[in-house]
Amino acid sequence: MLSFEGQVAIVTGAGRGIGRATALALGKRGAKVVVNDYGGGFDTLTPGTSEVAQSVVDEIVAAGGEAVANGTAVGTGDSAQTIVDAATKAFGRVDILVNNAGGSRPFHNVDEDADENLEGVIRSNLLGSLMLMRRVWPIMRAQKYGRIVNTSSNTVLGQQGMLAYVAAKGGIIGISGSAAIEGRPLGILVNTVFPQAYTRSVEDTAEPGAMDWFKSHTPELVAEGVTYLCSRECDASGELFRIGGGRFSRYGIYGNKGIESADLTTEFVAERFDESRDMSDAEIVPDAAYDMARFNAALASDWQGDLKSDWRK
């Protein structure tokens, strides 16, 4: 069993579902855990109670681990500082941050629902993760060590009726990639996950015919994969992983060779549009620096740049 002895983890949204399973998995392996959960509704608006987080703390302690509860709702810089202060007050450091907290609204079309409701979804999913990363960063930088796992969603690939949620989860991929570039030289590794599990967030959204099958996708099957990404043994950073139902796989943004012309015209694109979309020679594009070098190499036959160089060095 991998050991997290001597390490302190903050897990947000840890009162139920994947967050709870992750907190328990880390606690079982020796990590001291700050179990954060405001205890409210998945709609980000329903008031909650810290008893939800405390119940998970009780489970960890009963199993011989150490943990403290925190009922602060994520979404602002002040709340992020409160959560981090709870960790340093209780345990003196922060080694691991799992940004799992989030929420969504009932399905609405693009022009429906109130602006303030959509803003609440973006706060809980995107700003909550961003602010917590910012608050743990100085601690991890001073330690020359840290592991951060941010929770996105495969809905960013396109999902009707969840505009604000999709926007927030897409932003998670961007901030994770940027932080990974800056963090690697500091010993801070940052990865992103697309989780899939049967939790309260999908109880009213999964197809009725698939519900029984989906129930086998337990939160624990996601948490075990997330826990590996939190470990000393994991050296990956800036990557995206799809985890659920016993499956663990890497996802990525790919780019193909494309088409080019010094005198690109609308008609040229129209004539060769199918060729421009051919992905048979595609490769993963890990970051913006690689993308820029790759793009410019295709345009300049005498390109002498190094496609492997980027800001992570």
Side-chain angles (χ1 to χ4, degrees), residues 129-168:
S129 297
L130 174 62
M131 293 303 178
L132 272 160
M133 279 208 304
R134 282 168 46 80
R135 295 307 187 271
V136 301
W137 202 264
I139 298 170
M140 293 181 173
R141 181 175 57 212
Q143 296 168 172
K144 299 182 180 179
Y145 181 88
R147 297 289 187 269
I148 298 173
V149 179
N150 291 324
T151 304
S152 182
S153 166
N154 70 331
T155 59
V156 304
L157 304 174
Q159 174 69 56
Q160 182 181 0
M162 302 181 71
L163 198 64
Y165 184 78
V166 169

PDB file of all heavy atoms in Angstrom, residues 129-168:
ATOM      1  N   SER A 129     -11.670  26.359  -6.923  1.00  0.00           N
ATOM      2  CA  SER A 129     -10.420  25.647  -7.207  1.00  0.00           C
ATOM      3  C   SER A 129      -9.266  26.617  -7.413  1.00  0.00           C
ATOM      4  O   SER A 129      -8.154  26.401  -6.905  1.00  0.00           O
ATOM      5  CB  SER A 129     -10.595  24.778  -8.454  1.00  0.00           C
ATOM      6  OG  SER A 129     -11.571  23.784  -8.242  1.00  0.00           O
ATOM      7  N   LEU A 130      -9.508  27.681  -8.163  1.00  0.00           N
ATOM      8  CA  LEU A 130      -8.457  28.663  -8.432  1.00  0.00           C
ATOM      9  C   LEU A 130      -7.946  29.299  -7.145  1.00  0.00           C
ATOM     10  O   LEU A 130      -6.724  29.396  -6.916  1.00  0.00           O
ATOM     11  CB  LEU A 130      -8.993  29.735  -9.375  1.00  0.00           C
ATOM     12  CG  LEU A 130      -8.087  30.932  -9.655  1.00  0.00           C
ATOM     13  CD1 LEU A 130      -6.791  30.501 -10.322  1.00  0.00           C
ATOM     14  CD2 LEU A 130      -8.816  31.968 -10.511  1.00  0.00           C
ATOM     15  N   MET A 131      -8.857  29.727  -6.293  1.00  0.00           N
ATOM     16  CA  MET A 131      -8.449  30.412  -5.071  1.00  0.00           C
ATOM     17  C   MET A 131      -7.724  29.479  -4.106  1.00  0.00           C
ATOM     18  O   MET A 131      -6.754  29.882  -3.446  1.00  0.00           O
ATOM     19  CB  MET A 131      -9.669  31.037  -4.392  1.00  0.00           C
ATOM     20  CG  MET A 131     -10.291  32.176  -5.175  1.00  0.00           C
ATOM     21  SD  MET A 131      -9.096  33.511  -5.517  1.00  0.00           S
ATOM     22  CE  MET A 131     -10.125  34.631  -6.467  1.00  0.00           C
ATOM     23  N   LEU A 132      -8.158  28.247  -4.028  1.00  0.00           N
ATOM     24  CA  LEU A 132      -7.464  27.311  -3.150  1.00  0.00           C
ATOM     25  C   LEU A 132      -6.067  26.996  -3.668  1.00  0.00           C
ATOM     26  O   LEU A 132      -5.124  26.878  -2.881  1.00  0.00           O
ATOM     27  CB  LEU A 132      -8.288  26.036  -2.984  1.00  0.00           C
ATOM     28  CG  LEU A 132      -9.290  26.113  -1.834  1.00  0.00           C
ATOM     29  CD1 LEU A 132     -10.390  25.086  -1.999  1.00  0.00           C
ATOM     30  CD2 LEU A 132      -8.588  25.953  -0.498  1.00  0.00           C
ATOM     31  N   MET A 133      -5.917  26.865  -4.970  1.00  0.00           N
ATOM     32  CA  MET A 133      -4.567  26.670  -5.518  1.00  0.00           C
ATOM     33  C   MET A 133      -3.665  27.843  -5.149  1.00  0.00           C
ATOM     34  O   MET A 133      -2.512  27.660  -4.762  1.00  0.00           O
ATOM     35  CB  MET A 133      -4.610  26.525  -7.045  1.00  0.00           C
ATOM     36  CG  MET A 133      -4.974  25.151  -7.528  1.00  0.00           C
ATOM     37  SD  MET A 133      -4.271  24.776  -9.165  1.00  0.00           S
ATOM     38  CE  MET A 133      -4.892  26.125 -10.147  1.00  0.00           C
ATOM     39  N   ARG A 134      -4.199  29.044  -5.268  1.00  0.00           N
ATOM     40  CA  ARG A 134      -3.411  30.235  -4.950  1.00  0.00           C
ATOM     41  C   ARG A 134      -2.999  30.271  -3.478  1.00  0.00           C
ATOM     42  O   ARG A 134      -1.894  30.695  -3.151  1.00  0.00           O
ATOM     43  CB  ARG A 134      -4.217  31.493  -5.298  1.00  0.00           C
ATOM     44  CG  ARG A 134      -4.243  31.814  -6.777  1.00  0.00           C
ATOM     45  CD  ARG A 134      -5.264  32.883  -7.129  1.00  0.00           C
ATOM     46  NE  ARG A 134      -5.247  34.041  -6.248  1.00  0.00           N
ATOM     47  CZ  ARG A 134      -4.373  35.048  -6.335  1.00  0.00           C
ATOM     48  NH1 ARG A 134      -3.401  35.031  -7.234  1.00  0.00           N
ATOM     49  NH2 ARG A 134      -4.458  36.077  -5.507  1.00  0.00           N
ATOM     50  N   ARG A 135      -3.874  29.810  -2.592  1.00  0.00           N
ATOM     51  CA  ARG A 135      -3.579  29.886  -1.164  1.00  0.00           C
ATOM     52  C   ARG A 135      -2.615  28.791  -0.697  1.00  0.00           C
ATOM     53  O   ARG A 135      -1.857  28.996   0.237  1.00  0.00           O
ATOM     54  CB  ARG A 135      -4.880  29.829  -0.350  1.00  0.00           C
ATOM     55  CG  ARG A 135      -5.818  31.021  -0.571  1.00  0.00           C
ATOM     56  CD  ARG A 135      -5.138  32.368  -0.356  1.00  0.00           C
ATOM     57  NE  ARG A 135      -6.058  33.481  -0.415  1.00  0.00           N
ATOM     58  CZ  ARG A 135      -6.398  34.146  -1.524  1.00  0.00           C
ATOM     59  NH1 ARG A 135      -5.870  33.793  -2.686  1.00  0.00           N
ATOM     60  NH2 ARG A 135      -7.244  35.164  -1.467  1.00  0.00           N
ATOM     61  N   VAL A 136      -2.648  27.628  -1.335  1.00  0.00           N
ATOM     62  CA  VAL A 136      -1.696  26.585  -0.930  1.00  0.00           C
ATOM     63  C   VAL A 136      -0.349  26.737  -1.624  1.00  0.00           C
ATOM     64  O   VAL A 136       0.655  26.165  -1.180  1.00  0.00           O
ATOM     65  CB  VAL A 136      -2.236  25.158  -1.208  1.00  0.00           C
ATOM     66  CG1 VAL A 136      -3.537  24.921  -0.473  1.00  0.00           C
ATOM     67  CG2 VAL A 136      -2.382  24.888  -2.704  1.00  0.00           C
ATOM     68  N   TRP A 137      -0.306  27.510  -2.691  1.00  0.00           N
ATOM     69  CA  TRP A 137       0.907  27.610  -3.511  1.00  0.00           C
ATOM     70  C   TRP A 137       2.136  28.065  -2.718  1.00  0.00           C
ATOM     71  O   TRP A 137       3.200  27.436  -2.804  1.00  0.00           O
ATOM     72  CB  TRP A 137       0.659  28.535  -4.696  1.00  0.00           C
ATOM     73  CG  TRP A 137       1.595  28.309  -5.843  1.00  0.00           C
ATOM     74  CD1 TRP A 137       2.747  28.993  -6.126  1.00  0.00           C
ATOM     75  CD2 TRP A 137       1.462  27.324  -6.876  1.00  0.00           C
ATOM     76  NE1 TRP A 137       3.338  28.510  -7.270  1.00  0.00           N
ATOM     77  CE2 TRP A 137       2.563  27.480  -7.748  1.00  0.00           C
ATOM     78  CE3 TRP A 137       0.524  26.329  -7.150  1.00  0.00           C
ATOM     79  CZ2 TRP A 137       2.746  26.676  -8.875  1.00  0.00           C
ATOM     80  CZ3 TRP A 137       0.703  25.534  -8.261  1.00  0.00           C
ATOM     81  CH2 TRP A 137       1.806  25.706  -9.105  1.00  0.00           C
ATOM     82  N   PRO A 138       2.054  29.150  -1.931  1.00  0.00           N
ATOM     83  CA  PRO A 138       3.246  29.577  -1.176  1.00  0.00           C
ATOM     84  C   PRO A 138       3.739  28.509  -0.198  1.00  0.00           C
ATOM     85  O   PRO A 138       4.950  28.384   0.015  1.00  0.00           O
ATOM     86  CB  PRO A 138       2.765  30.830  -0.433  1.00  0.00           C
ATOM     87  CG  PRO A 138       1.574  31.306  -1.186  1.00  0.00           C
ATOM     88  CD  PRO A 138       0.919  30.070  -1.721  1.00  0.00           C
ATOM     89  N   ILE A 139       2.814  27.763   0.380  1.00  0.00           N
ATOM     90  CA  ILE A 139       3.199  26.702   1.312  1.00  0.00           C
ATOM     91  C   ILE A 139       3.938  25.598   0.575  1.00  0.00           C
ATOM     92  O   ILE A 139       5.019  25.153   0.990  1.00  0.00           O
ATOM     93  CB  ILE A 139       1.954  26.137   2.018  1.00  0.00           C
ATOM     94  CG1 ILE A 139       1.256  27.230   2.836  1.00  0.00           C
ATOM     95  CG2 ILE A 139       2.328  24.948   2.901  1.00  0.00           C
ATOM     96  CD1 ILE A 139      -0.105  26.824   3.363  1.00  0.00           C
ATOM     97  N   MET A 140       3.385  25.163  -0.531  1.00  0.00           N
ATOM     98  CA  MET A 140       4.008  24.091  -1.309  1.00  0.00           C
ATOM     99  C   MET A 140       5.335  24.541  -1.917  1.00  0.00           C
ATOM    100  O   MET A 140       6.294  23.768  -1.993  1.00  0.00           O
ATOM    101  CB  MET A 140       3.044  23.608  -2.397  1.00  0.00           C
ATOM    102  CG  MET A 140       1.813  22.902  -1.858  1.00  0.00           C
ATOM    103  SD  MET A 140       0.711  22.336  -3.191  1.00  0.00           S
ATOM    104  CE  MET A 140      -0.488  21.384  -2.248  1.00  0.00           C
ATOM    105  N   ARG A 141       5.384  25.794  -2.336  1.00  0.00           N
ATOM    106  CA  ARG A 141       6.643  26.321  -2.903  1.00  0.00           C
ATOM    107  C   ARG A 141       7.747  26.310  -1.856  1.00  0.00           C
ATOM    108  O   ARG A 141       8.887  25.914  -2.142  1.00  0.00           O
ATOM    109  CB  ARG A 141       6.417  27.736  -3.429  1.00  0.00           C
ATOM    110  CG  ARG A 141       7.662  28.369  -4.066  1.00  0.00           C
ATOM    111  CD  ARG A 141       7.299  29.718  -4.667  1.00  0.00           C
ATOM    112  NE  ARG A 141       6.718  30.599  -3.663  1.00  0.00           N
ATOM    113  CZ  ARG A 141       5.783  31.513  -3.928  1.00  0.00           C
ATOM    114  NH1 ARG A 141       5.297  31.653  -5.152  1.00  0.00           N
ATOM    115  NH2 ARG A 141       5.316  32.279  -2.966  1.00  0.00           N
ATOM    116  N   ALA A 142       7.434  26.721  -0.630  1.00  0.00           N
ATOM    117  CA  ALA A 142       8.428  26.733   0.444  1.00  0.00           C
ATOM    118  C   ALA A 142       8.878  25.317   0.794  1.00  0.00           C
ATOM    119  O   ALA A 142      10.043  25.086   1.128  1.00  0.00           O
ATOM    120  CB  ALA A 142       7.854  27.427   1.680  1.00  0.00           C
ATOM    121  N   GLN A 143       7.965  24.354   0.696  1.00  0.00           N
ATOM    122  CA  GLN A 143       8.288  22.957   0.977  1.00  0.00           C
ATOM    123  C   GLN A 143       9.025  22.280  -0.173  1.00  0.00           C
ATOM    124  O   GLN A 143       9.601  21.206  -0.018  1.00  0.00           O
ATOM    125  CB  GLN A 143       6.995  22.162   1.227  1.00  0.00           C
ATOM    126  CG  GLN A 143       6.215  22.598   2.432  1.00  0.00           C
ATOM    127  CD  GLN A 143       4.805  21.980   2.466  1.00  0.00           C
ATOM    128  OE1 GLN A 143       4.105  22.122   3.456  1.00  0.00           O
ATOM    129  NE2 GLN A 143       4.399  21.293   1.413  1.00  0.00           N
ATOM    130  N   LYS A 144       8.928  22.910  -1.359  1.00  0.00           N
ATOM    131  CA  LYS A 144       9.439  22.319  -2.602  1.00  0.00           C
ATOM    132  C   LYS A 144       8.747  20.999  -2.902  1.00  0.00           C
ATOM    133  O   LYS A 144       9.325  20.073  -3.468  1.00  0.00           O
ATOM    134  CB  LYS A 144      10.969  22.138  -2.544  1.00  0.00           C
ATOM    135  CG  LYS A 144      11.720  23.441  -2.367  1.00  0.00           C
ATOM    136  CD  LYS A 144      13.224  23.233  -2.358  1.00  0.00           C
ATOM    137  CE  LYS A 144      13.944  24.567  -2.174  1.00  0.00           C
ATOM    138  NZ  LYS A 144      15.414  24.408  -2.135  1.00  0.00           N
ATOM    139  N   TYR A 145       7.473  20.950  -2.547  1.00  0.00           N
ATOM    140  CA  TYR A 145       6.692  19.741  -2.788  1.00  0.00           C
ATOM    141  C   TYR A 145       5.204  20.053  -2.696  1.00  0.00           C
ATOM    142  O   TYR A 145       4.756  20.776  -1.805  1.00  0.00           O
ATOM    143  CB  TYR A 145       7.018  18.651  -1.755  1.00  0.00           C
ATOM    144  CG  TYR A 145       6.229  17.386  -2.004  1.00  0.00           C
ATOM    145  CD1 TYR A 145       6.720  16.407  -2.854  1.00  0.00           C
ATOM    146  CD2 TYR A 145       4.979  17.198  -1.410  1.00  0.00           C
ATOM    147  CE1 TYR A 145       5.981  15.257  -3.113  1.00  0.00           C
ATOM    148  CE2 TYR A 145       4.231  16.058  -1.671  1.00  0.00           C
ATOM    149  CZ  TYR A 145       4.740  15.093  -2.520  1.00  0.00           C
ATOM    150  OH  TYR A 145       4.007  13.964  -2.788  1.00  0.00           O
ATOM    151  N   GLY A 146       4.451  19.473  -3.617  1.00  0.00           N
ATOM    152  CA  GLY A 146       2.998  19.565  -3.537  1.00  0.00           C
ATOM    153  C   GLY A 146       2.351  18.733  -4.623  1.00  0.00           C
ATOM    154  O   GLY A 146       2.941  18.489  -5.684  1.00  0.00           O
ATOM    155  N   ARG A 147       1.152  18.291  -4.352  1.00  0.00           N
ATOM    156  CA  ARG A 147       0.348  17.568  -5.331  1.00  0.00           C
ATOM    157  C   ARG A 147      -1.042  18.186  -5.341  1.00  0.00           C
ATOM    158  O   ARG A 147      -1.690  18.303  -4.284  1.00  0.00           O
ATOM    159  CB  ARG A 147       0.251  16.077  -4.981  1.00  0.00           C
ATOM    160  CG  ARG A 147       1.577  15.327  -4.997  1.00  0.00           C
ATOM    161  CD  ARG A 147       2.099  15.155  -6.423  1.00  0.00           C
ATOM    162  NE  ARG A 147       3.279  14.315  -6.478  1.00  0.00           N
ATOM    163  CZ  ARG A 147       4.532  14.765  -6.397  1.00  0.00           C
ATOM    164  NH1 ARG A 147       4.741  16.074  -6.216  1.00  0.00           N
ATOM    165  NH2 ARG A 147       5.554  13.940  -6.491  1.00  0.00           N
ATOM    166  N   ILE A 148      -1.502  18.573  -6.523  1.00  0.00           N
ATOM    167  CA  ILE A 148      -2.828  19.175  -6.675  1.00  0.00           C
ATOM    168  C   ILE A 148      -3.594  18.401  -7.739  1.00  0.00           C
ATOM    169  O   ILE A 148      -3.080  18.165  -8.836  1.00  0.00           O
ATOM    170  CB  ILE A 148      -2.733  20.663  -7.074  1.00  0.00           C
ATOM    171  CG1 ILE A 148      -2.006  21.471  -5.987  1.00  0.00           C
ATOM    172  CG2 ILE A 148      -4.123  21.243  -7.327  1.00  0.00           C
ATOM    173  CD1 ILE A 148      -1.720  22.917  -6.365  1.00  0.00           C
ATOM    174  N   VAL A 149      -4.816  18.005  -7.402  1.00  0.00           N
ATOM    175  CA  VAL A 149      -5.696  17.353  -8.365  1.00  0.00           C
ATOM    176  C   VAL A 149      -6.968  18.181  -8.466  1.00  0.00           C
ATOM    177  O   VAL A 149      -7.661  18.404  -7.464  1.00  0.00           O
ATOM    178  CB  VAL A 149      -6.037  15.911  -7.946  1.00  0.00           C
ATOM    179  CG1 VAL A 149      -6.987  15.277  -8.967  1.00  0.00           C
ATOM    180  CG2 VAL A 149      -4.771  15.073  -7.813  1.00  0.00           C
ATOM    181  N   ASN A 150      -7.265  18.648  -9.668  1.00  0.00           N
ATOM    182  CA  ASN A 150      -8.444  19.462  -9.916  1.00  0.00           C
ATOM    183  C   ASN A 150      -9.493  18.653 -10.670  1.00  0.00           C
ATOM    184  O   ASN A 150      -9.170  17.876 -11.568  1.00  0.00           O
ATOM    185  CB  ASN A 150      -8.074  20.704 -10.731  1.00  0.00           C
ATOM    186  CG  ASN A 150      -7.226  21.677  -9.944  1.00  0.00           C
ATOM    187  OD1 ASN A 150      -7.412  21.833  -8.741  1.00  0.00           O
ATOM    188  ND2 ASN A 150      -6.294  22.340 -10.608  1.00  0.00           N
ATOM    189  N   THR A 151     -10.743  18.859 -10.309  1.00  0.00           N
ATOM    190  CA  THR A 151     -11.832  18.083 -10.886  1.00  0.00           C
ATOM    191  C   THR A 151     -12.538  18.851 -11.985  1.00  0.00           C
ATOM    192  O   THR A 151     -13.146  19.889 -11.745  1.00  0.00           O
ATOM    193  CB  THR A 151     -12.856  17.695  -9.803  1.00  0.00           C
ATOM    194  OG1 THR A 151     -12.184  16.996  -8.752  1.00  0.00           O
ATOM    195  CG2 THR A 151     -13.947  16.813 -10.383  1.00  0.00           C
ATOM    196  N   SER A 152     -12.431  18.341 -13.193  1.00  0.00           N
ATOM    197  CA  SER A 152     -13.168  18.874 -14.329  1.00  0.00           C
ATOM    198  C   SER A 152     -14.317  17.924 -14.641  1.00  0.00           C
ATOM    199  O   SER A 152     -14.821  17.235 -13.750  1.00  0.00           O
ATOM    200  CB  SER A 152     -12.221  19.062 -15.522  1.00  0.00           C
ATOM    201  OG  SER A 152     -12.899  19.631 -16.626  1.00  0.00           O
ATOM    202  N   SER A 153     -14.746  17.869 -15.878  1.00  0.00           N
ATOM    203  CA  SER A 153     -15.863  17.000 -16.242  1.00  0.00           C
ATOM    204  C   SER A 153     -15.851  16.777 -17.750  1.00  0.00           C
ATOM    205  O   SER A 153     -15.509  17.689 -18.521  1.00  0.00           O
ATOM    206  CB  SER A 153     -17.185  17.657 -15.835  1.00  0.00           C
ATOM    207  OG  SER A 153     -18.289  17.011 -16.448  1.00  0.00           O
ATOM    208  N   ASN A 154     -16.254  15.591 -18.166  1.00  0.00           N
ATOM    209  CA  ASN A 154     -16.329  15.342 -19.603  1.00  0.00           C
ATOM    210  C   ASN A 154     -17.446  16.134 -20.264  1.00  0.00           C
ATOM    211  O   ASN A 154     -17.568  16.144 -21.493  1.00  0.00           O
ATOM    212  CB  ASN A 154     -16.489  13.851 -19.895  1.00  0.00           C
ATOM    213  CG  ASN A 154     -17.846  13.305 -19.499  1.00  0.00           C
ATOM    214  OD1 ASN A 154     -18.494  13.807 -18.577  1.00  0.00           O
ATOM    215  ND2 ASN A 154     -18.279  12.264 -20.186  1.00  0.00           N
ATOM    216  N   THR A 155     -18.258  16.842 -19.469  1.00  0.00           N
ATOM    217  CA  THR A 155     -19.266  17.716 -20.064  1.00  0.00           C
ATOM    218  C   THR A 155     -18.634  18.840 -20.878  1.00  0.00           C
ATOM    219  O   THR A 155     -19.310  19.436 -21.720  1.00  0.00           O
ATOM    220  CB  THR A 155     -20.172  18.344 -18.986  1.00  0.00           C
ATOM    221  OG1 THR A 155     -19.372  19.104 -18.074  1.00  0.00           O
ATOM    222  CG2 THR A 155     -20.947  17.276 -18.232  1.00  0.00           C
ATOM    223  N   VAL A 156     -17.347  19.123 -20.659  1.00  0.00           N
ATOM    224  CA  VAL A 156     -16.695  20.169 -21.456  1.00  0.00           C
ATOM    225  C   VAL A 156     -16.615  19.786 -22.926  1.00  0.00           C
ATOM    226  O   VAL A 156     -16.383  20.641 -23.792  1.00  0.00           O
ATOM    227  CB  VAL A 156     -15.276  20.503 -20.933  1.00  0.00           C
ATOM    228  CG1 VAL A 156     -15.325  20.900 -19.477  1.00  0.00           C
ATOM    229  CG2 VAL A 156     -14.311  19.352 -21.145  1.00  0.00           C
ATOM    230  N   LEU A 157     -16.813  18.525 -23.222  1.00  0.00           N
ATOM    231  CA  LEU A 157     -16.823  18.075 -24.608  1.00  0.00           C
ATOM    232  C   LEU A 157     -18.137  18.422 -25.297  1.00  0.00           C
ATOM    233  O   LEU A 157     -18.269  18.259 -26.514  1.00  0.00           O
ATOM    234  CB  LEU A 157     -16.582  16.558 -24.671  1.00  0.00           C
ATOM    235  CG  LEU A 157     -15.292  16.078 -24.003  1.00  0.00           C
ATOM    236  CD1 LEU A 157     -15.227  14.556 -23.999  1.00  0.00           C
ATOM    237  CD2 LEU A 157     -14.076  16.661 -24.697  1.00  0.00           C
ATOM    238  N   GLY A 158     -19.095  18.916 -24.512  1.00  0.00           N
ATOM    239  CA  GLY A 158     -20.394  19.296 -25.040  1.00  0.00           C
ATOM    240  C   GLY A 158     -21.508  18.633 -24.268  1.00  0.00           C
ATOM    241  O   GLY A 158     -21.592  17.401 -24.221  1.00  0.00           O
ATOM    242  N   GLN A 159     -22.335  19.435 -23.607  1.00  0.00           N
ATOM    243  CA  GLN A 159     -23.445  18.902 -22.817  1.00  0.00           C
ATOM    244  C   GLN A 159     -24.565  19.924 -22.807  1.00  0.00           C
ATOM    245  O   GLN A 159     -24.377  21.060 -22.355  1.00  0.00           O
ATOM    246  CB  GLN A 159     -23.003  18.606 -21.381  1.00  0.00           C
ATOM    247  CG  GLN A 159     -24.118  18.176 -20.452  1.00  0.00           C
ATOM    248  CD  GLN A 159     -24.660  16.805 -20.789  1.00  0.00           C
ATOM    249  OE1 GLN A 159     -23.920  15.846 -20.845  1.00  0.00           O
ATOM    250  NE2 GLN A 159     -25.964  16.713 -21.025  1.00  0.00           N
ATOM    251  N   GLN A 160     -25.693  19.557 -23.305  1.00  0.00           N
ATOM    252  CA  GLN A 160     -26.818  20.482 -23.350  1.00  0.00           C
ATOM    253  C   GLN A 160     -27.337  20.786 -21.955  1.00  0.00           C
ATOM    254  O   GLN A 160     -27.372  19.917 -21.081  1.00  0.00           O
ATOM    255  CB  GLN A 160     -27.952  19.882 -24.191  1.00  0.00           C
ATOM    256  CG  GLN A 160     -29.156  20.803 -24.338  1.00  0.00           C
ATOM    257  CD  GLN A 160     -30.257  20.162 -25.165  1.00  0.00           C
ATOM    258  OE1 GLN A 160     -30.129  19.038 -25.620  1.00  0.00           O
ATOM    259  NE2 GLN A 160     -31.345  20.899 -25.355  1.00  0.00           N
ATOM    260  N   GLY A 161     -27.719  22.036 -21.739  1.00  0.00           N
ATOM    261  CA  GLY A 161     -28.423  22.423 -20.533  1.00  0.00           C
ATOM    262  C   GLY A 161     -27.569  22.695 -19.313  1.00  0.00           C
ATOM    263  O   GLY A 161     -28.092  22.862 -18.216  1.00  0.00           O
ATOM    264  N   MET A 162     -26.229  22.765 -19.490  1.00  0.00           N
ATOM    265  CA  MET A 162     -25.340  22.952 -18.332  1.00  0.00           C
ATOM    266  C   MET A 162     -24.272  24.003 -18.655  1.00  0.00           C
ATOM    267  O   MET A 162     -23.091  23.806 -18.377  1.00  0.00           O
ATOM    268  CB  MET A 162     -24.681  21.621 -17.959  1.00  0.00           C
ATOM    269  CG  MET A 162     -25.647  20.510 -17.630  1.00  0.00           C
ATOM    270  SD  MET A 162     -24.831  18.965 -17.170  1.00  0.00           S
ATOM    271  CE  MET A 162     -24.162  19.386 -15.553  1.00  0.00           C
ATOM    272  N   LEU A 163     -24.690  25.118 -19.210  1.00  0.00           N
ATOM    273  CA  LEU A 163     -23.747  26.079 -19.766  1.00  0.00           C
ATOM    274  C   LEU A 163     -22.728  26.578 -18.752  1.00  0.00           C
ATOM    275  O   LEU A 163     -21.522  26.566 -19.005  1.00  0.00           O
ATOM    276  CB  LEU A 163     -24.511  27.263 -20.361  1.00  0.00           C
ATOM    277  CG  LEU A 163     -23.747  28.142 -21.345  1.00  0.00           C
ATOM    278  CD1 LEU A 163     -23.366  27.347 -22.585  1.00  0.00           C
ATOM    279  CD2 LEU A 163     -24.589  29.352 -21.736  1.00  0.00           C
ATOM    280  N   ALA A 164     -23.180  27.012 -17.582  1.00  0.00           N
ATOM    281  CA  ALA A 164     -22.254  27.559 -16.584  1.00  0.00           C
ATOM    282  C   ALA A 164     -21.335  26.470 -16.038  1.00  0.00           C
ATOM    283  O   ALA A 164     -20.141  26.698 -15.829  1.00  0.00           O
ATOM    284  CB  ALA A 164     -23.030  28.217 -15.446  1.00  0.00           C
ATOM    285  N   TYR A 165     -21.881  25.299 -15.806  1.00  0.00           N
ATOM    286  CA  TYR A 165     -21.082  24.182 -15.309  1.00  0.00           C
ATOM    287  C   TYR A 165     -19.996  23.811 -16.316  1.00  0.00           C
ATOM    288  O   TYR A 165     -18.838  23.611 -15.947  1.00  0.00           O
ATOM    289  CB  TYR A 165     -22.006  22.993 -15.055  1.00  0.00           C
ATOM    290  CG  TYR A 165     -21.336  21.782 -14.457  1.00  0.00           C
ATOM    291  CD1 TYR A 165     -21.035  21.736 -13.097  1.00  0.00           C
ATOM    292  CD2 TYR A 165     -21.040  20.664 -15.236  1.00  0.00           C
ATOM    293  CE1 TYR A 165     -20.447  20.613 -12.526  1.00  0.00           C
ATOM    294  CE2 TYR A 165     -20.449  19.534 -14.680  1.00  0.00           C
ATOM    295  CZ  TYR A 165     -20.152  19.518 -13.332  1.00  0.00           C
ATOM    296  OH  TYR A 165     -19.567  18.410 -12.778  1.00  0.00           O
ATOM    297  N   VAL A 166     -20.374  23.733 -17.576  1.00  0.00           N
ATOM    298  CA  VAL A 166     -19.409  23.404 -18.630  1.00  0.00           C
ATOM    299  C   VAL A 166     -18.332  24.483 -18.725  1.00  0.00           C
ATOM    300  O   VAL A 166     -17.140  24.180 -18.868  1.00  0.00           O
ATOM    301  CB  VAL A 166     -20.134  23.233 -19.975  1.00  0.00           C
ATOM    302  CG1 VAL A 166     -19.142  23.149 -21.122  1.00  0.00           C
ATOM    303  CG2 VAL A 166     -21.005  21.984 -19.946  1.00  0.00           C
ATOM    304  N   ALA A 167     -18.725  25.754 -18.627  1.00  0.00           N
ATOM    305  CA  ALA A 167     -17.751  26.853 -18.677  1.00  0.00           C
ATOM    306  C   ALA A 167     -16.751  26.740 -17.535  1.00  0.00           C
ATOM    307  O   ALA A 167     -15.534  26.892 -17.725  1.00  0.00           O
ATOM    308  CB  ALA A 167     -18.475  28.195 -18.618  1.00  0.00           C
ATOM    309  N   ALA A 168     -17.251  26.461 -16.334  1.00  0.00           N
ATOM    310  CA  ALA A 168     -16.381  26.358 -15.167  1.00  0.00           C
ATOM    311  C   ALA A 168     -15.437  25.170 -15.285  1.00  0.00           C
ATOM    312  O   ALA A 168     -14.235  25.279 -15.014  1.00  0.00           O
ATOM    313  CB  ALA A 168     -17.219  26.241 -13.903  1.00  0.00           C
TER     314      ALA A 168
END
